[in-house]
Amino acid sequence: MYDIMSPHAENFIDDGEIRASLEYAANNCRNREVIAGIIAKAGEMKGLSHREALTLLDCDMAEFNAEIFALAKEIKRRFYGNRIVMFAPLYLSNYCINGCVYCPYHRQNKTIPRKKLTQEEIAAEVIALQDMGHKRLALETGEDPVNNPIEYVLESIKTIYSIKHKNGAIRRVNVNIAATTVENYRKLKAAGIGTYILFQETYHKQNYEALHPTGPKHDYAWHTEAMDRAMDGGIDDVGCGVLFGLENYRYDFTGLLMHAEHLEAFKGVGPHTISVPRIRPADDIDADSFSNAISDDIFEKIVAVLRIAVPYTGIIISTRESQQARERVLKVGVSQISGGSRTSVGGYTTEVRHDETAQFDVSDQRTLDEVIRWLLEMGHVPSFCTACYREGRTGDRFMQLVKSGQIANCCQPNALMTLKEYLEDYATPETRELGEKVIAGELQHVPNEKVRNIAAQNLVDIANGKRDFRF
């Protein structure tokens, strides 16, 4: 039975409720009165239920879809402005004991070379990332208690934070590792991580177990309840996601929002971010063998309806997606993207872009500077900001600022100052020239006059060699 307050996965991700929602949406997706009512509610910018959101997702009436996309753009503008937060993944190890059929790291794969970075190699990777201009990383590793124990992860985080190269510094390490214990989440919290990220892959329990036939990840409840344990361990910000293409997208879309609703009700705050990866080819993985793969049109609408349903939550898209696909979803809801990414272990310190340890093929292979210039040309403000995390504006404190609309007084000036740092230290002349024009124009849009004046002086100080100002 569906119970949003239950600590048990099969209660708050209830198959019966999902199927009832699928039926409701199918029966009402062309009901003009119902659709108009949901859009009117969405216009209040306070979110939608999973059932309401699915009904909008299923709607195929052109005039209503135009309203849905327009509303998604307006919600994105109101809560996130034109800021796009930048990050990069850092792969530490591809040793893994799970049998996930969609991932080349699976234990049965005998063709992929196994590699685990030493602390010295991690330091070299971090320097390479800093020399690009990155300030925020997503740490990735396979699940292997022998080769990748929690102690290795904690030591790696310490190493990452310790590296200061020229003007470079990694200011936030988000962590995407396997579900673990409350005790280990406490250790990650003490190590100073930002967001704990874990993709559900699929919320369909039977399919989930088939896709994860062996290893600890096979345990659906252990994996699905990981966010609850992470919050019990003191981690304020968690990031959810599914791998679209593993299951019917409507089922997983519904389960994803039910998970967000559960965290909001049971823990007092929903997910900080939601990721929307799609299945990609990789070593011994044929993406075409997954019959639930989704088109770019469906993908764009998923992002738009997510933005409407969870207006306060960041939406992440990676270099799995092409430049064209990323451009489409940036307009309707995405607020964080990766750039210059390598999805292989040691990929930032080798000249080979796609070596044999990659987790998946990268579609957007542009450099970080090319991505930054592209964003600027489209009218976005690339942001390397990590101020909220370092100032303690996390969890419910962050959400309160977002919901009140006050976060703009923090995010807009911080975005401009971190962009200024990037332009001074790493940008090509063409990107720097364009970025300076954008900063000059955007500075005038900082809502608070006092903050705007302080930011203006800080921008001058950054040009004179000072770094790391934050509101």
Side-chain angles (χ1 to χ4, degrees):
M1 179 179 293
Y2 179 50
D3 182 359
I4 197 171
M5 296 294 287
S6 173
H8 303 297
E10 290 185 62
N11 291 334
F12 64 78
I13 305 293
D14 178 68
D15 178 74
E17 170 60 22
I18 293 179
R19 294 188 183 282
S21 296
L22 295 175
E23 182 178 3
Y24 176 88
N27 290 336
N28 288 279
C29 64
R30 296 189 64 80
N31 184 321
R32 291 179 172 274
E33 184 179 355
V34 169
I35 297 296
I38 296 174
I39 291 177
K41 178 182 176 182
E44 298 174 7
M45 302 187 185
K46 296 180 181 179
L48 296 174
S49 71
H50 61 271
R51 188 170 290 195
E52 293 166 333
L54 179 62
T55 306
L56 291 189
L57 185 63
D58 278 0
C59 175
D60 61 358
M61 292 181 283
E63 66 272 32
F64 286 118
N65 278 336
E67 290 186 50
I68 290 168
F69 281 106
L71 182 56
K73 292 175 183 178
E74 176 58 22
I75 290 174
K76 165 78 181 306
R77 185 202 64 77
R78 174 169 175 177
F79 291 109
Y80 287 91
N82 54 1
R83 302 178 298 277
I84 302 295
V85 173
M86 308 302 302
F87 76 97
L90 174 57
Y91 283 76
L92 300 182
S93 170
N94 65 353
Y95 283 95
C96 192
I97 62 172
N98 288 311
C100 313
V101 303
Y102 53 85
C103 176
Y105 290 1
H106 65 86
R107 187 172 187 172
Q108 291 81 7
N109 188 353
K110 303 302 181 184
T111 65
I112 190 170
R114 301 292 173 171
K115 182 174 177 60
K116 170 186 173 181
L117 297 180
T118 65
Q119 297 305 308
E120 291 74 19
E121 289 171 327
I122 291 171
E125 290 279 289
V126 170
I127 289 172
L129 284 158
Q130 290 176 353
D131 281 344
M132 291 184 199
H134 278 295
K135 307 295 183 186
R136 176 190 300 243
L137 301 183
L139 187 153
E140 316 268 355
T141 186
E143 182 171 13
D144 187 328
V146 174
N147 288 292
N148 313 326
I150 190 65
E151 290 76 18
Y152 171 67
V153 175
L154 296 171
E155 184 182 9
S156 300
I157 294 169
K158 184 177 180 180
T159 296
I160 292 167
Y161 279 137
S162 73
I163 303 300
K164 312 296 179 187
H165 177 66
K166 298 180 181 178
N167 286 328
I170 302 303
R171 297 170 178 167
R172 178 171 178 139
V173 177
N174 298 332
V175 174
N176 184 355
I177 64 170
T180 187
T181 63
V182 172
E183 179 184 1
N184 285 342
Y185 288 124
R186 289 196 182 103
K187 292 177 180 178
L188 289 170
K189 171 69 173 180
I193 74 164
T195 304
Y196 172 68
I197 302 165
L198 185 67
F199 298 162
Q200 180 62 28
E201 319 300 4
T202 177
Y203 285 95
H204 189 288
K205 184 174 184 292
Q206 183 178 359
N207 196 19
Y208 176 95
E209 292 172 344
L211 290 163
H212 309 92
T214 60
K217 196 169 179 177
H218 176 75
D219 189 333
Y220 176 86
W222 176 254
H223 189 84
T224 311
E225 295 161 11
M227 296 307 182
D228 294 67
R229 294 195 302 279
M231 289 182 164
D232 288 343
I235 295 176
D236 293 326
D237 295 333
V238 297
C240 298
V242 295
L243 182 53
F244 284 105
L246 297 181
E247 177 55 58
N248 178 278
Y249 72 90
R250 300 169 68 244
Y251 191 104
D252 277 338
F253 174 88
T254 309
L256 180 60
L257 288 178
M258 289 172 70
H259 201 169
E261 291 166 355
H262 162 73
L263 293 175
E264 180 81 38
F266 194 54
K267 296 298 181 182
V269 62
H272 186 69
T273 59
I274 287 177
S275 297
V276 288
R278 287 192 285 183
I279 191 75
R280 287 286 299 157
D283 181 277
D284 95 333
I285 303 297
D286 179 9
D288 291 336
S289 66
F290 292 87
S291 60
N292 287 302
I294 59 175
S295 68
D296 286 353
D297 288 344
I298 292 173
F299 186 54
E300 181 183 24
K301 192 168 184 190
I302 285 172
V303 172
V305 180
L306 280 175
R307 174 48 62 218
I308 292 171
V310 284
Y312 317 121
T313 300
I315 300 178
I316 300 176
I317 191 169
S318 75
T319 51
R320 283 176 178 263
E321 299 296 337
S322 68
Q323 175 180 338
Q324 293 74 21
R326 301 219 291 176
E327 187 166 330
R328 289 180 68 171
V329 295
L330 275 167
K331 296 176 181 178
V332 297
V334 164
S335 56
Q336 293 189 27
I337 69 169
S338 53
S341 301
R342 303 291 184 271
T343 62
S344 53
V345 181
Y348 296 105
T349 52
T350 177
E351 293 182 1
V352 181
R353 293 184 73 121
H354 298 291
D355 71 14
E356 295 178 326
T357 67
Q359 189 185 32
F360 58 85
D361 290 349
V362 171
S363 290
D364 189 344
Q365 299 181 21
R366 292 173 296 170
T367 66
L368 178 61
D369 192 79
E370 289 170 334
V371 173
I372 295 297
R373 188 162 63 252
W374 167 68
L375 289 171
L376 291 168
E377 289 169 347
M378 290 191 296
H380 297 292
V381 176
S383 173
F384 296 86
C385 180
T386 59
C388 283
Y389 156 69
R390 291 182 293 150
E391 294 294 322
R393 296 189 292 263
T394 57
D396 59 351
R397 296 171 295 286
F398 174 82
M399 286 299 175
Q400 288 168 8
L401 284 171
V402 175
K403 292 175 182 180
S404 68
Q406 295 303 308
I407 196 67
N409 285 318
C410 303
C411 289
Q412 187 74 356
N414 282 319
L416 296 178
M417 289 187 293
T418 57
L419 175 58
K420 178 69 171 179
E421 288 180 320
Y422 174 82
L423 297 176
E424 292 290 328
D425 295 339
Y426 308 105
T428 59
E430 183 181 1
T431 301
R432 183 179 299 114
E433 180 181 1
L434 178 57
E436 293 290 359
K437 293 178 181 177
V438 169
I439 289 174
E442 291 295 327
L443 183 62
Q444 307 309 313
H445 297 149
V446 175
N448 184 285
E449 182 180 2
K450 180 179 179 180
V451 171
R452 185 166 63 249
N453 291 337
I454 294 172
Q457 181 58 54
N458 287 348
L459 289 167
V460 173
D461 290 341
I462 290 169
N464 291 329
K466 297 182 181 181
R467 293 295 180 272
D468 194 19
F469 295 96
R470 60 183 185 269
F471 287 96

